[in-house]
Amino acid sequence: MKNRLLAALPGAALTLALVSGAHAAADALATIPVASSTAAGMTSFDAVVEAIRQSVVAAQVSGTVIEIGVRTGDAVHAGQVLLRLDARAAEQNAEASDAQVQAARASLEVATQEYERQQQLFQKNYISQAAFERAEAQFKATQAQVSAQLAQAGVARTQSGFFVVKAPYAGVVAEVPVALGDMAMPGRPLITLYDPSALRVTARVPQTAIDETASGQGTKIELPGLSPDRQWLIPSHVQVLPTVDPGTHTVEVRMDLPHGLTGISPGMFARAWLPAERLPTVSQAGVATAPQLVRMFVPFDAIVRRAELTALYVVEANGHPVLRQVRLGERLNDRVEILSGVSAGERVALDPQAAARVR
């Protein structure tokens, strides 16, 4: 029994030393409280980049896809051929219509000559009035038949043009959901095209925040997927739709992006920063005072980024740092706003690497 106790003493001493070292490291960890401010601020809402002009190109006729001239991501100009359908049957119909037009014109020539002879005979009183009227009616019927054949030939030529699908405007091919040999049907999507020069950011905003948004003053756009020097943009135009979603009680806000931007495509994640909704504070006398907004800030160097995780080391009451996920807001010089994850007054570690070594 005595030997086992003596053997356990070195391990216990080592454990005590480790605990004492951990407490010492935690005590030596530099921290700073989360600062709060009542200055006017902004509120962010998740948004998405959309194309103002986006078209789903479809065929007006049925046919087999025999040629695809573009791929996803290609830039096209207005009138460029995107794909072709099998138009052999349509071309044969057009040729048949042209042949019928030629036959009708030949009949019209014969009818014209006959009508002129009958007119001369009638002037010399060699035929009756009824015979001349029958010749005139035959001539007019032949003329009408030629006009009908010409119109039918025009329809056939127009329909043969439907088998060649062209770009309605200059843009970028976003999707090609068909392959060679597929059967195109009227209304079936063949190519999705959008105009990269006209993009916007769309967000769903609570109806309570719309009063300060309608003017468009102070609004910003954040594109986290771009480089830091290109993430923040000022919208060229802000539009608030006049309808409210009855299920979510939100309003769609559209913020047009400036022209000439590169590296931005529809579907990208964005944030719409709008003037924050301010709640009135109540004084001790029960009288509402000027509205204020509490904003929280921490040093930017205290932020921890690991893959998709954005966090801070928050020091608890026992002095032990705990990694806590946060949501960042606007960066102001060496500070960054914290939208959620911490409370004002909580202490955070200034050196994330040192905090990670504390066990």
Side-chain angles (χ1 to χ4, degrees):
M1 180 70 180
K2 182 177 181 180
N3 294 334
R4 289 197 300 267
L5 181 59
L6 292 175
L9 287 176
L14 178 61
T15 302
L16 182 60
L18 292 175
V19 172
S20 300
H23 282 293
D27 293 339
L29 189 64
T31 62
I32 189 173
V34 178
S36 61
S37 172
T38 57
M42 308 280 287
T43 302
S44 69
F45 300 92
D46 292 345
V48 64
V49 178
E50 295 179 345
I52 297 178
R53 184 165 60 168
Q54 179 168 321
S55 305
V56 178
V57 182
Q60 302 183 44
V61 292
S62 302
T64 304
V65 179
I66 61 173
E67 180 186 343
I68 300 178
V70 294
R71 294 179 297 179
T72 302
D74 287 351
V76 298
H77 56 79
Q80 180 177 337
V81 176
L82 303 178
L83 56 81
R84 298 178 187 272
L85 306 179
D86 188 0
R88 288 176 295 179
E91 291 174 354
Q92 292 174 357
N93 289 334
E95 292 176 358
S97 297
D98 291 339
Q100 292 176 355
V101 168
Q102 294 178 2
R105 285 177 175 173
S107 299
L108 179 60
E109 291 179 1
V110 175
T112 302
Q113 295 174 0
E114 180 65 21
Y115 173 69
E116 291 175 352
R117 285 195 298 268
Q118 294 296 328
Q119 189 176 24
Q120 292 175 0
L121 293 174
F122 176 72
Q123 292 175 354
K124 297 179 180 180
N125 296 325
Y126 289 159
I127 60 175
S128 63
Q129 179 73 27
F132 175 72
E133 291 176 353
R134 284 194 299 268
E136 185 179 15
Q138 183 65 30
F139 171 71
K140 292 182 179 179
T142 306
Q143 278 185 323
Q145 184 178 3
V146 172
S147 299
Q149 293 295 337
L150 287 172
Q152 186 175 355
V155 171
R157 285 193 296 270
T158 301
Q159 289 182 346
S160 63
F162 293 157
F163 289 83
V164 178
V165 180
K166 299 181 180 180
Y169 51 81
V172 176
V173 178
E175 185 181 6
V176 184
V178 295
L180 291 177
D182 285 353
M183 187 67 181
M185 303 294 292
R188 178 186 177 182
L190 299 178
I191 289 178
T192 302
L193 188 72
Y194 74 91
D195 184 359
S197 63
L199 300 176
R200 69 188 177 203
V201 168
T202 301
R204 307 293 303 190
V205 179
Q207 60 183 19
T208 55
I210 291 302
D211 291 341
E212 298 186 25
T213 306
S215 62
Q217 297 295 329
T219 57
K220 295 182 180 180
I221 297 173
E222 181 186 4
L223 298 173
L226 300 182
S227 57
D229 59 330
R230 301 175 56 208
Q231 286 185 0
W232 294 93
L233 300 170
I234 303 298
S236 59
H237 176 69
V238 178
Q239 178 186 14
V240 180
L241 298 190
T243 57
V244 180
D245 189 330
T248 60
H249 303 292
T250 57
V251 179
E252 184 173 317
V253 177
R254 297 175 176 176
M255 309 170 70
D256 294 349
L257 293 174
H259 294 283
L261 300 177
T262 58
I264 303 176
S265 58
M268 289 181 60
F269 173 74
R271 290 191 184 98
W273 289 85
L274 309 177
E277 177 188 5
R278 302 183 180 185
L279 299 178
T281 58
V282 181
S283 64
Q284 295 181 355
V287 180
T289 60
Q292 293 182 337
L293 175 70
V294 177
R295 305 175 67 190
M296 296 175 293
F297 294 90
V298 299
F300 184 78
D301 294 338
I303 302 297
V304 179
R305 296 185 185 272
R306 296 177 181 174
E308 300 296 329
L309 176 66
T310 303
L312 287 170
Y313 276 102
V314 180
V315 181
E316 296 182 335
N318 58 4
H320 187 76
V322 176
L323 189 64
R324 187 184 301 175
Q325 185 175 6
V326 295
R327 184 182 178 191
L328 302 183
E330 184 179 5
R331 181 177 177 178
L332 300 175
N333 298 325
D334 60 342
R335 300 189 306 163
V336 62
E337 184 181 5
I338 304 298
L339 300 180
S340 62
V342 296
S343 301
E346 287 188 304
R347 304 194 70 84
V348 298
L350 287 174
D351 188 352
Q353 296 182 356
R357 292 193 292 268
V358 176
R359 295 289 184 268

